Amino acid sequence: MQRKMKDRILSGYVCVKSAIVQRSTMLAKKARATSVAPPPSLPVPETAFVFIGSFLSLLLIQAFVLLISEYCGYTFKILSPLGALMASQYVLTAAPASQPRNTLYGNAIGGITSLIITMIPTSVLPKIIRVALATSTAVALQAKLGVIHPPGIGFAITLASGKHTWIDVPILLGGSVLAIFSGTFILNINEKRQYPIYWAFGNLPSALEAKIYRKRSSIQSTRTRNFHDDSDSDSDSLPSFCENGPPTIPQDSAAIDKDQKTQNGDSTDRTADSQTSLGTEQV
């Protein structure tokens, strides 16, 4: 018994050791990266275009923030997501994370998720855990819904500190809208660029769309099955004469007398013809 136990412990140790060695080798191999070359630098004209475009967009956003501060008396201090958006728009123009759909949805998810989690008091959820939880939740939701936007994650981790209010979310979304429209105008001046690649605000994420499609298909199949069941029950409740075919419709008496006379006349003619043929044969 003891020998079997020792053999099991030894075999388990060998398996664990082999798995650790394989994982360590794989991690070391991946850490050395591949032979793929990094992206090239932009030419000077494109670099100047990036500078001018982002500069003009940021001037417009700053004017919007100052207008909010002057007329609403609230100072918006979270400009870092909008600065990161400039890099996405003017350098990674064709990337999905730079498109308007990802920008607005990603910022909204990051802000709302963080502010909801910050409502939990620090006595229940310490700040260090709250910041990590809010940010990772925003990342997971953006990934699930297919609207990854890294500046929105930066917005989430900033709001998770608990020193901000709900008004920061619409202000950031307003600044994002200004960045989208200014980028649409400025970037499309350049013949080598196009922005946006897609709008697609009404398109649902693929997972959610598939779920809705399955639900609709289930409802449709249920309705079809109920319709056939109702049809079968209706056929079972038909009158008994329908099983033997349609009922005969009686004719009026005049039509009946006319048919009888016609039949009698036809029989008389057949009798006379038969007698005539018989007499001819006898002669």
Side-chain angles (χ1 to χ4, degrees):
M1 186 69 180
Q2 293 180 353
R3 183 177 181 82
K4 291 182 178 179
M5 184 64 67
K6 290 181 179 179
D7 291 340
R8 290 180 180 177
I9 294 174
L10 182 61
S11 62
Y13 170 76
V14 172
C15 291
V16 172
K17 182 180 178 180
S18 176
I20 293 175
V21 171
Q22 289 180 358
R23 290 287 179 176
S24 301
T25 304
M26 180 186 66
L27 291 174
K29 184 178 179 180
K30 288 184 175 181
R32 290 195 296 268
T34 63
S35 58
V36 177
S41 60
L42 289 177
V44 175
E46 289 293 322
T47 305
F49 179 81
V50 168
F51 170 77
I52 295 173
S54 58
F55 178 78
L56 294 177
S57 294
L58 286 173
L59 281 181
L60 182 61
I61 293 171
Q62 286 277 39
F64 169 72
V65 171
L66 291 177
L67 190 66
I68 293 292
S69 176
E70 182 177 353
Y71 286 94
C72 298
Y74 181 81
T75 303
F76 181 71
K77 300 179 180 180
I78 312 175
L79 292 174
S80 54
L82 297 174
L85 177 59
M86 294 298 102
S88 299
Q89 279 186 327
Y90 289 94
V91 181
L92 305 175
T93 306
S98 308
Q99 305 309 309
R101 178 175 181 265
N102 293 51
T103 300
L104 295 181
Y105 288 167
N107 286 332
I109 290 172
I112 293 172
T113 303
S114 291
L115 289 176
I116 289 175
I117 294 178
T118 53
M119 296 173 67
I120 303 174
T122 54
S123 59
V124 178
L125 190 66
K127 182 178 179 181
I128 186 174
I129 299 177
R130 183 177 66 190
V131 172
L133 178 62
T135 308
S136 58
T137 303
V139 172
L141 286 176
Q142 287 187 10
K144 178 62 178 176
L145 297 177
V147 288
I148 283 292
H149 186 61
I153 304 303
F155 186 46
I157 197 171
T158 302
L159 292 182
S161 62
K163 299 179 181 179
H164 302 278
T165 61
W166 284 96
I167 196 173
D168 290 322
V169 177
I171 293 176
L172 182 71
L173 292 178
S176 300
V177 171
L178 290 177
I180 290 170
F181 282 103
S182 62
T184 302
F185 176 74
I186 297 173
L187 285 167
N188 289 326
I189 295 176
N190 192 330
E191 296 179 355
K192 299 180 181 179
R193 297 171 182 261
Q194 180 180 352
Y195 182 84
I197 302 300
Y198 57 85
W199 293 96
F201 283 105
N203 289 6
L204 294 174
S206 57
L208 182 59
E209 190 172 1
K211 185 176 181 180
I212 294 175
Y213 176 76
R214 289 194 298 267
K215 184 66 175 177
R216 289 178 178 175
S217 300
S218 176
I219 294 174
Q220 185 65 28
S221 61
T222 304
R223 289 178 178 176
T224 305
R225 186 166 55 252
N226 293 338
F227 174 75
H228 290 308
D229 293 341
D230 294 340
S231 300
D232 295 339
S233 62
D234 292 341
S235 62
D236 294 338
S237 62
L238 289 174
S240 59
F241 65 79
C242 290
E243 299 177 356
N244 301 324
T248 57
I249 302 174
Q251 300 177 357
D252 56 352
S253 58
I256 294 174
D257 293 339
K258 184 177 180 180
D259 292 340
Q260 290 179 352
K261 289 179 181 180
T262 303
Q263 293 176 1
N264 292 334
D266 294 340
S267 61
T268 303
D269 294 339
R270 286 195 298 270
T271 303
D273 293 338
S274 62
Q275 291 178 355
T276 301
S277 61
L278 181 60
T280 303
E281 292 176 357
Q282 291 177 356
V283 173

